[in-house]
Amino acid sequence: MERFAIRGQICYSESQKKIRTMERGYVVCEDGKSAGVFETLPEAWSGIPCYDYGDRLIIPGLIDLHVHAPQYPFRGLGMDQELIDWLNTHTFPEEEKYGDLAYAQKAYAIFLDDLLHSATTRACVFGTCHKDATLWLMEQMEAEGLAGYVGKVNMDRNSPAGLCEESPEASAEATESWILASAGLSNVRPILTPRFIPTCSDELMERLSALQKQYDLPVQSHLSENLSEIDWVRQLQPEASCYGDAYRMHGLFGGSCPTIMAHCVYSGEEEIRMMKEQGVFIAHCPESNTNLASGIAPARKYMELGMQVGLGTDVAAGSSLSMFRAMAMAVQCSKLRWRLVDQSQAPLTATEVFYLATKGGGAFFGKAGSLEEGYEFDAVVIDDRKIRHARPVSVRERLERLIYLDGDASVDAKYIKGKQVI
């Protein structure tokens, strides 16, 4: 049995409302899982290797539930457009380039290097419709020690020629070939990824549903992000009771099909009821929703209803891979929603968004996102000494400052499933 401990200023969520901190505490790893957090190292483990990180912060690895790897080259551009225009002007032309594997490798190498050196340990990633490029991305993530799900995107209608797959049958065949080719990977697994209802025909959705059942795969897509998008779905799927129902009709909306839906800015009562009953995860992407002027998702409402909620960076509609930035934006956007839209829904707190970025999103992976006993040993060591201060600050205060000032901190070490990757 492989055992070791790390020591430092420990901070993690016990619940949505409670952060536990421990000064100069220990986290013990046994065979890739946490054996617990201790003030002093128990006698039974007194002889195991211990890596002392001094005054640096130790937190659980952060979980990004929604990010588009091929969009990384144009992050920070096109923020003067709304969703559909932005897709047509920036996203689709960029994603077409990934048919060239050499370009895909060059672009994905930059994305992966930055992801590796961020505080994110697990991510749910969109690739493109190109099988070879998506498989290369998965293989390189695995080689770097990163963990998560990666999806080959499906699109067979309302898409540019370079991205519109030849037919539902061809799209499904390429997807199954990709699933089989990725079978040897362990940390990085496939996730079915119909881009969204407007680009996926009913026949394609049915074929993906068959693949989901055959290979027992999770699904990720987009839901109720933008008002014009919702109107478009209503025209394309008039028989659906709501946007979410257009996925449910094909068996791709929770229940026995683990599902992440990004955004949910305008989900109505029927859609919310359906998501809660089916256990659909919501990837709340506040920076993206702000940059594309989509709106402010009612994250507080979802949390109070006991729904499954995590955070996503949604690069490149979001401008950064930083989950700390996603946390800060979630708080700030919730304050604007409370002040301007619905004063019955209190703003989110730093404690709550830290939970969403760790344990909340981590639940999609099982027991991930905490340092508590039995959770997979994903931990990040952060040096925040550049955030200078003239007065004493507690471990809890240092975490809160990190959420808002993470650009002044660095990741010194990173562990995923008990393996040190940096």
Side-chain angles (χ1 to χ4, degrees), residues 214-256:
Q214 181 177 353
Y215 294 101
D216 192 25
L217 296 176
V219 169
Q220 62 181 353
S221 195
H222 301 87
L223 182 67
S224 299
E225 178 180 0
N226 171 280
L227 291 172
S228 60
E229 168 209 17
I230 295 169
D231 287 341
W232 194 7
V233 171
R234 192 177 293 119
Q235 294 167 21
L236 291 168
Q237 304 285 166
E239 69 278 19
S241 64
C242 59
Y243 194 161
D245 195 38
Y247 293 102
R248 184 206 59 80
M249 291 177 349
H250 303 289
L252 299 174
F253 202 67
S256 60

Side-chain angles (χ1 to χ4, degrees), residues 5 97 202 288 374:
K97 298 176 184 177
D202 285 352
S288 164

